[in-house]
Amino acid sequence: MRKSIYHTCVSVLALGVALPCAGAAQAQDMADDAAEAVADEGEDQGLNTIVVTAAAGNRTQIESSISVTAIDDSIIQNFQPASEAEIFRLLPGIQTPGTSGPGGNSNIAVRGLPVATGGSPFVQLQEDGLPMVLFGDIQFGNNDYWTRFDATTATVEAVRGGSATTLASQAPGAVINYISHTGAREGGYVQVNKGVDYNDTRVDFRYGGPLAEGLNFHIGGFFQRGRDMLGVDYTINDAIQVKGNITKEFEDGASFLRLFFKVADTQGINYTGAPALADFSNGKITNIRAFPGFDGRSQSNYSIYNQEQLILNREGNFERVGLNGISTEQQYLGAHLHWEFGDNITVDNRARYSDVSGGFSSPFLNIAPTSSVLGSTVNGATVASIRYANGPRAGQLFTGALLDNNVNVTTNIRDLGALVNDLVVAGEFDIGTMQLTARGGFFYMDQTIAMDWHVNRSTRELSGNNPAQLDLFDAAGNQLTFQGISGYNNNWGSCCARDYDLGYTNTAPYAQLVLDHERFNLDASIRFERIAASGFTIAGGNTFLVSPDPSRPNLRIEAITANGARETLDYARSYTSWSLGALFKASSDLSVFARASRGGRFNADRQTVGGKIANNGALCTGAQALAGANGCSADGVTPSVDFVNQYELGVKARGELGGGDWTAEFTLLKGDFSQSTFELSATRCPNGTGGCVIDSNFRSKGFEFFGTYRNGGLSLVSNVTFSDSERQLSGAANYTRAPFIPDFSYSLSASYDFGDLATLGLSATGQSSVVDDALREFEGDTTVNASLRVNALENLQVGLNVYNLFDVYDLRGNGATLINGAANPAVISGTPVPGRTVMANVRLSF
């Protein structure tokens, strides 16, 4: 599967540059320059920024009948995000806890349309107008693994709903686009960021400018190494990323060719949760606080005694691998050709070939009573005692009341590379006093998803201070586990000892018409999506016994390998998305818009190993599933595409207040969708068993607000999202409150620039309560950050950032679980934001 991409990548990329083609994000060179000017000089464009993401590409925010927000790099740096997903909390309509850590693995919802299982099913992340991965919820390959904010990013722009459904694939909820500096303005900086009260160092750098007449370049990136804000006792964050581009402007002053490259080798911790104490009464969980001996704000279950594990690899051999969070290896080459024929015809092409691989290797957390393990059956014997397997108490009896018996996960992401090309030809024509813009495009992306999973059944002590592994013994003193592992590849059963190599080819012709009048514009667009699936998956076979220690042949442990049921994919699915919008220009400072959209997204690898693929490689029909025919046990056709219906009514305005300038965007929302997806975790499946299909209907209504205010040295940016979101499970008569979606989420960023002396910044992000699957309510909270930057010398700036200034235990409710509500206080589990930490930085600008 991979060979065909290698053989064609060079020729297709070259054709993509040479032929008259274009991208989904119609980024004109002037728009790139404007974005860079905003980032470089902090200029407030007051809704005059040209929208370049999933849009017409030649209209400003106030003239576009879509919900769109652009955040420049200075705002993001003031906000001090602790993870990629936490950046998205600055964007209205995007709902994510942002507590998964710098490695990623966040659930990113949008506009109250929840994430049924994991990942970002309705949100596409782009770099310079093209997606890094086609699907946002690839199992153990979520889209936030592959994109990192660094000094090369000028602006993060987000389009929610609307034209995201038709001008991008697999993104009916939103497109979030990282737009790069292009060297339109000469300059750059080097900044060293050093943890004051924790061990982590990051160096960010960028530089760009002219190489010759009509030839610009930009290059930058970051280096990072350390033990993270949670104080892991070994190097867990270890990353390098370098990105660059070079732009050749042609003699007409409008056409250009831009080449991109990226090289990244990253390793970052993903936070897997911690125990906590809380008050529990009348279904409400309040006063959430740290658990004795395991404070999730500053500790984790990553341990020097469990920083590696033995896995039974896909060749059937034992292999020792590190537990280092999420790692990525990426290289890509890309190109953007923009060509103008006269005054009214433009042709654009964006193309990229990426070589991507990586891994996910982490200790998950599950809090269980020790009594539930004693007396259980492990490897054919009854557990009578538990002893420390390593650490300072190695060999001693374990007598704690609670322990952690969750999985050690290692997934080998062998290949997640892709070839993507996006083409548009656009024309502008005068019709009386109006202008008609016609746009036709063609999108192509070939995505490989090749992985093998190794999910070991593990037992360790419940501690945030280098927890030791625990070995289990029977009454005769026979050891039943090895280094705390009681099973290889078998934690979630035969479903998840899987090996697969899948290919998905997405082709999509699309068209857009925009009729623009002095007082209004009308917008209609349509996209015809077709996805062809190929490749294979192999599930786990029968359980057998293995001896992990050659010196102890009598120590036999259960194992599963991927030698079970095989699925061969050979099917295609086609569907249509559309969007209609209208905008009324009440004045140059006020516009009102309305939009209706219906967008689809394809369920890719989550359709596999769930009884949805027939023996002949086709998707199973509902009739086949009911009859148990052709190897079918579940309907594959109906849920292969999830459709999202959205309706929007919005206002965009700007003006002057108290000598300063303000902008405001307010949008009323309503939406719904149905989703059927495979869930591997026992925590979400009925009866506590892993590997199930979850069918749900969702509906939501609410609003989103984004506002800015600038007055001299004062700058304010705020957003609020309200969602009344509900879920109806398959077979249920009624809708209930959707799990893990807050009614309110919000952020505020404020800074004051004291001339050439210093800049003081404050930011806050928070949310209201959420409910779990059982409708138990977890309270929300707010995290406040502070920053101070002092201009010590010309071009030299020193700074201090304080994250979580008030050291709140802000759980945000993402996947929070009630462990023991009968205890006083109750024991719960969840992932809080890191506690108060201080970082110093020094920046040299040039």
Side-chain angles (χ1 to χ4, degrees):
M1 183 177 304
R2 186 67 175 173
K3 291 181 179 178
S4 62
I5 297 181
Y6 272 117
H7 289 165
T8 59
C9 70
V10 175
S11 59
V12 173
L13 185 61
L15 284 171
V17 173
L19 292 174
C21 310
Q26 303 289 307
Q28 307 296 321
D29 202 25
M30 57 181 273
D32 293 334
D33 294 350
E36 186 155 352
V38 171
D40 285 347
E41 299 191 359
E43 299 172 5
D44 184 2
Q45 294 294 295
L47 299 179
N48 279 334
T49 301
I50 294 177
V51 182
V52 300
T53 302
N58 55 0
R59 286 174 177 79
T60 64
Q61 289 175 278
I62 201 168
E63 297 173 332
S64 301
S65 59
I66 55 177
S67 299
V68 56
T69 302
I71 304 292
D72 70 58
D73 59 351
S74 63
I75 294 174
I76 295 172
Q77 290 169 2
N78 287 339
F79 186 64
Q80 304 170 56
S83 66
E84 210 63 32
E86 201 167 27
I87 293 174
F88 308 148
R89 293 181 68 86
L90 290 168
L91 300 168
I94 306 298
Q95 295 157 312
T96 178
T99 57
S100 290
N105 205 43
S106 290
N107 295 337
I108 305 172
V110 57
R111 292 181 161 184
L113 303 177
V115 177
T117 53
S120 312
F122 305 112
V123 178
Q124 182 182 101
L125 300 188
Q126 295 184 348
E127 293 185 18
D128 294 303
L130 291 176
M132 276 302 300
V133 290
L134 183 60
F135 310 106
D137 63 342
I138 295 172
Q139 295 175 104
F140 292 109
N142 293 0
N143 53 13
D144 66 335
Y145 295 13
W146 315 106
T147 295
R148 292 283 182 272
F149 174 81
D150 66 13
T152 66
T153 303
T155 308
V156 175
E157 188 171 77
V159 172
R160 286 91 60 198
S163 56
T165 64
T166 52
L167 300 185
S169 286
Q170 315 308 321
V175 173
I176 301 174
N177 186 18
Y178 286 53
I179 302 171
S180 296
H181 290 281
T182 62
R185 296 194 176 194
E186 184 172 7
Y189 67 82
V190 174
Q191 179 168 313
V192 179
N193 306 280
K194 174 68 177 176
V196 174
D197 53 355
Y198 65 101
N199 183 334
D200 210 282
T201 301
R202 173 166 164 154
V203 179
D204 288 271
F205 65 96
R206 76 173 185 89
Y207 184 76
L211 289 172
E213 182 70 25
L215 187 65
N216 298 330
F217 83 101
H218 191 273
I219 190 168
F222 73 94
F223 308 91
Q224 183 180 14
R225 186 172 175 85
R227 300 185 175 187
D228 194 67
M229 301 165 79
L230 295 193
V232 179
D233 279 341
Y234 59 94
T235 299
I236 191 76
N237 295 328
D238 191 359
I240 177 174
Q241 176 171 290
V242 178
K243 294 171 60 183
N245 57 72
I246 186 168
T247 304
K248 170 59 180 175
E249 298 175 354
F250 297 112
E251 292 181 359
D252 63 1
S255 304
F256 65 88
L257 172 65
R258 180 169 297 138
L259 303 178
F260 299 88
F261 79 89
K262 174 182 173 182
V263 177
D265 188 344
T266 69
Q267 175 186 293
I269 184 175
N270 73 294
Y271 303 150
T272 56
L277 300 179
D279 298 336
F280 178 58
S281 178
N282 298 321
K284 296 182 181 294
I285 297 167
T286 58
N287 191 22
I288 300 172
R289 52 203 185 270
F291 187 86
F294 198 156
D295 188 340
R297 294 171 298 181
S298 58
Q299 295 178 310
S300 76
N301 59 343
Y302 286 82
S303 170
I304 58 175
Y305 307 119
N306 190 36
Q307 60 183 299
E308 57 180 21
Q309 71 164 337
L310 203 63
I311 66 168
L312 196 60
N313 63 26
R314 66 194 299 255
E315 287 80 27
N317 301 318
F318 280 108
E319 177 184 351
R320 191 161 293 279
V321 298
L323 288 169
N324 298 318
I326 296 172
S327 59
T328 75
E329 293 184 14
Q330 305 176 65
Q331 301 85 39
Y332 72 55
L333 292 174
H336 177 197
L337 174 68
H338 174 79
W339 196 269
E340 298 195 5
F341 295 89
D343 295 329
N344 65 329
I345 302 295
T346 61
V347 176
D348 278 88
N349 182 64
R350 292 180 183 270
R352 180 194 295 143
Y353 169 73
S354 60
D355 186 0
V356 177
S357 60
F360 182 109
S361 198
S362 302
F364 282 15
L365 177 77
N366 182 66
I367 305 168
T370 302
S371 58
S372 68
V373 177
L374 292 171
S376 66
T377 300
V378 172
N379 292 319
T382 302
V383 178
S385 63
I386 305 173
R387 294 182 180 273
Y388 289 92
N390 51 23
R393 301 180 184 177
Q396 298 180 24
L397 280 173
F398 173 78
T399 58
L402 299 172
L403 49 73
D404 176 2
N405 67 345
N406 212 340
V407 58
N408 275 356
V409 177
T410 293
T411 61
N412 178 28
I413 306 173
R414 302 192 304 273
D415 189 356
L416 213 62
L419 176 65
V420 56
N421 198 85
D422 206 358
L423 146 69
V424 156
V425 178
E428 295 181 351
F429 309 96
D430 292 330
I431 302 178
T433 60
M434 296 183 291
Q435 184 181 71
L436 176 68
T437 301
R439 181 171 289 100
F442 185 82
F443 174 84
Y444 170 89
M445 188 164 183
D446 189 338
Q447 176 77 69
T448 299
I449 307 176
M451 299 189 199
D452 46 277
W453 295 4
H454 308 279
V455 288
N456 290 350
R457 190 170 291 169
S458 179
T459 309
R460 67 185 66 89
E461 65 176 326
L462 185 65
S463 170
N465 183 21
N466 289 315
Q469 292 291 104
L470 300 175
D471 274 329
L472 312 179
F473 295 81
D474 65 14
N478 296 310
Q479 187 171 330
L480 308 177
T481 59
F482 181 66
Q483 298 174 346
I485 301 300
S486 55
Y488 295 100
N489 303 333
N490 68 340
N491 190 81
W492 293 320
S494 61
C495 75
C496 303
R498 63 175 70 181
D499 188 338
Y500 50 99
D501 191 336
L502 305 170
Y504 296 92
T505 301
N506 191 161
T507 54
Y510 56 96
Q512 180 187 39
L513 291 175
V514 181
L515 187 63
D516 205 340
H517 184 268
E518 182 180 353
R519 300 305 301 270
F520 67 87
N521 65 52
L522 303 175
D523 180 336
S525 54
I526 191 167
R527 189 179 191 93
F528 302 98
E529 213 87 56
R530 185 180 188 273
I531 299 181
S534 60
F536 67 87
T537 64
I538 307 173
N542 296 325
T543 300
F544 59 95
L545 297 175
V546 294
S547 298
D549 185 354
S551 68
R552 304 167 65 188
N554 293 329
L555 178 59
R556 309 278 284 172
I557 295 177
E558 289 185 350
I560 302 177
T561 57
N563 62 351
R566 183 185 182 101
E567 294 177 338
T568 300
L569 280 63
D570 184 18
Y571 66 87
R573 185 78 161 86
S574 299
Y575 55 95
T576 302
S577 301
W578 56 264
S579 183
L580 298 172
L583 179 136
F584 174 66
K585 306 172 189 177
S587 70
S588 60
D589 295 325
L590 175 66
S591 63
V592 181
F593 75 92
R595 183 169 287 274
S597 306
R598 181 179 188 264
R601 59 87 53 184
F602 181 79
N603 284 317
D605 60 313
R606 290 180 181 266
Q607 285 274 91
T608 61
V609 196
K612 297 183 177 183
I613 309 297
N615 291 337
N616 63 356
L619 287 172
C620 293
T621 65
Q624 288 174 322
L626 288 173
N630 201 18
C632 297
S633 60
D635 182 3
V637 174
T638 302
S640 61
V641 178
D642 298 325
F643 290 101
V644 177
N645 300 302
Q646 294 186 81
Y647 309 93
E648 308 168 59
L649 179 62
V651 177
K652 304 179 184 184
R654 60 191 173 193
E656 296 182 357
L657 178 66
D661 297 318
W662 61 269
T663 68
E665 303 165 66
F666 181 85
T667 307
L668 292 172
L669 309 166
K670 184 178 181 181
D672 63 81
F673 77 98
S674 298
Q675 186 173 34
S676 177
T677 187
F678 181 81
E679 169 60 38
L680 57 89
S681 171
T683 60
R684 303 297 301 277
C685 288
N687 305 317
T689 57
C692 65
V693 175
I694 298 178
D695 296 307
S696 304
N697 297 318
F698 293 91
R699 64 188 183 190
S700 178
K701 58 182 180 291
F703 68 80
E704 58 190 27
F705 167 81
F706 183 81
T708 68
Y709 180 71
R710 288 182 182 267
N711 190 340
L714 177 65
S715 176
L716 299 174
V717 179
S718 64
N719 85 74
V720 178
T721 300
F722 168 74
S723 296
D724 180 8
S725 183
E726 297 179 309
R727 178 182 70 172
Q728 181 188 46
L729 288 170
S730 177
N734 300 315
Y735 280 83
T736 59
R737 185 176 172 184
F740 308 123
I741 292 291
D743 289 341
F744 282 94
S745 57
Y746 47 88
S747 72
L748 172 68
S749 179
S751 65
Y752 193 86
D753 189 348
F754 295 89
D756 295 330
L757 298 176
T759 301
L760 178 66
L762 284 173
S763 65
T765 181
Q767 64 182 48
S768 60
S769 64
V770 299
V771 298
D772 62 11
D773 285 307
L775 301 181
R776 294 172 296 225
E777 187 174 5
F778 291 73
E779 69 178 353
D781 214 324
T782 302
T783 302
V784 177
N785 307 326
S787 65
L788 175 65
R789 300 195 302 272
V790 177
N791 300 316
L793 298 170
E794 185 177 3
N795 298 332
L796 182 66
Q797 184 183 86
V798 295
L800 201 67
N801 298 332
V802 183
Y803 183 86
N804 196 354
L805 179 64
F806 301 113
D807 202 29
V808 300
Y809 201 100
D810 189 358
L811 188 61
R812 296 184 184 166
N814 178 35
T817 303
L818 177 65
I819 303 300
N820 186 354
N824 186 19
V827 179
I828 66 173
S829 175
T831 306
V833 301
R836 181 169 51 241
T837 52
V838 181
M839 172 178 284
N841 55 70
V842 179
R843 175 184 290 199
L844 176 63
S845 301
F846 39 79

